[in-house]
């Protein structure tokens, strides 16, 4: 007994599967582009960071500019001027993003009341800052180092202990004593 087989349909069904199974990812079409990016990425990232406040946005901005550069790679005649090209792409991309941003400002008849206890006076902040540093400088060197590492460098107790080569308990007790001395400092009482 013979079964009829439609060869054209089975061939058509087999062809797309064969194409996807044998498809190999294409290597980068422009090896000179990848070497350029590896060599100049830190410099270009600094340029992108100067255009945005957020480091993550700067990375996205650079990625977009590099994608535009990759698309135009064959059209760029002078590869010695690539930094200028990429910088211009960064600036144009950032300008486009800025123009597309949504502005959440609405005109109103009355100005809103300022929030109580808003921004502190910069002069008062500087006075407090200076008084705090003078008080910290009065501490013994070891306690001063621990306070600076814990609260100015924002290290954990374990990290502070590791940096100074002491135990975590030593850091805890020394910082506690240092904070007690700072609370009792008469100069800090005047600015509180």
């Amino acid at each position: 007994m013979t079964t009829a087989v439609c060869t054209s349909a089975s061939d058509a069904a087999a062809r797309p599967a064969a194409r996807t199974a044998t498809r190999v990812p294409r290597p980068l079409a422009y090896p000179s582009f990848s070497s350029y990016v590896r060599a100049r990425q830190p410099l270009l990232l600094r340029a992108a960071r100067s255009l945005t406040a957020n480091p993550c946005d700067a990375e996205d901005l650079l990625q977009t500019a590099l994608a535009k550069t990759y698309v135009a790679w064959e059209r760029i005649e002078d590869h010695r001027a690539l930094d200028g090209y990429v910088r211009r792409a960064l600036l144009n991309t950032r300008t486009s993003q800025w123009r597309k941003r949504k502005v959440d400002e609405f005109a109103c008849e009355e100005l809103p009341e300022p929030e109580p206890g808003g921004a502190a006076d910069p002069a008062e902040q500087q006075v407090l800052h200076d008084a705090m540093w003078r008080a910290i400088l009065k501490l013994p060197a070891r306690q001063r180092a621990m306070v600076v590492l814990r609260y100015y460098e924002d290290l954990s107790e374990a990290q502070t202990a590791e940096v100074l080569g002491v135990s975590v308990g030593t850091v805890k007790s020394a910082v506690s004593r240092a904070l007690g001395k700072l609370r009792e400092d008469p100069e800090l009482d005047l600015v509180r």
Side-chain angles (χ1 to χ4, degrees):
M1 182 169 180
T2 313
T3 309
V5 176
C6 179
T7 57
S8 62
S10 62
D11 288 343
R15 264 186 259 129
R19 262 191 241 133
T20 57
T22 59
R23 180 173 281 174
V24 177
R26 257 181 55 206
L28 190 61
Y30 307 115
S32 59
F33 176 78
S34 63
S35 63
Y36 168 76
V37 170
R38 275 194 302 272
R40 304 300 287 173
Q41 186 174 9
L43 177 76
L44 296 173
L45 187 56
R46 279 195 303 272
R49 284 188 178 157
S50 70
L51 296 172
T52 64
N54 185 346
C56 295
D57 290 343
E59 291 173 1
D60 291 343
L61 179 64
L62 178 60
Q63 194 69 20
T64 303
L66 288 174
K68 289 178 180 181
T69 304
Y70 181 79
V71 169
W73 192 255
E74 289 180 336
R75 291 181 285 139
I76 300 172
E77 294 174 9
D78 185 9
H79 281 214
R80 293 174 297 179
L82 282 171
D83 285 348
Y85 185 90
V86 175
R87 283 191 181 111
R88 175 51 65 182
L90 284 168
L91 187 60
N92 291 345
T93 303
R94 182 64 183 138
T95 303
S96 296
Q97 291 172 347
W98 178 78
R99 286 181 180 151
K100 292 177 186 176
R101 80 185 194 288
K102 182 180 175 185
V103 178
D104 290 331
E105 294 180 11
F106 303 100
C108 60
E109 303 246 344
E110 293 180 28
L111 292 175
E113 290 293 322
E115 294 183 23
D121 182 19
E124 289 178 12
Q125 288 179 340
Q126 187 62 43
V127 167
L128 178 62
H129 181 265
D130 292 342
M132 180 59 76
W133 272 113
R134 283 191 301 273
I136 288 174
L137 288 173
K138 292 177 191 175
L139 295 173
R142 188 172 178 184
Q143 287 180 356
R144 183 173 51 242
M146 290 182 190
V147 167
V148 168
L149 289 173
R150 281 286 291 131
Y151 297 106
Y152 283 91
E153 296 295 324
D154 201 26
L155 297 181
S156 68
E157 291 168 344
Q159 290 169 327
T160 303
E162 184 179 331
V163 167
L164 297 175
V166 297
S167 69
V168 175
T170 303
V171 171
K172 288 181 181 182
S173 63
V175 167
S176 176
R177 283 192 303 276
L179 292 177
K181 288 179 183 178
L182 291 174
R183 283 187 202 103
E184 295 171 0
D185 192 299
E187 191 175 345
L188 291 177
D189 281 340
L190 296 175
V191 292
R192 281 189 219 160

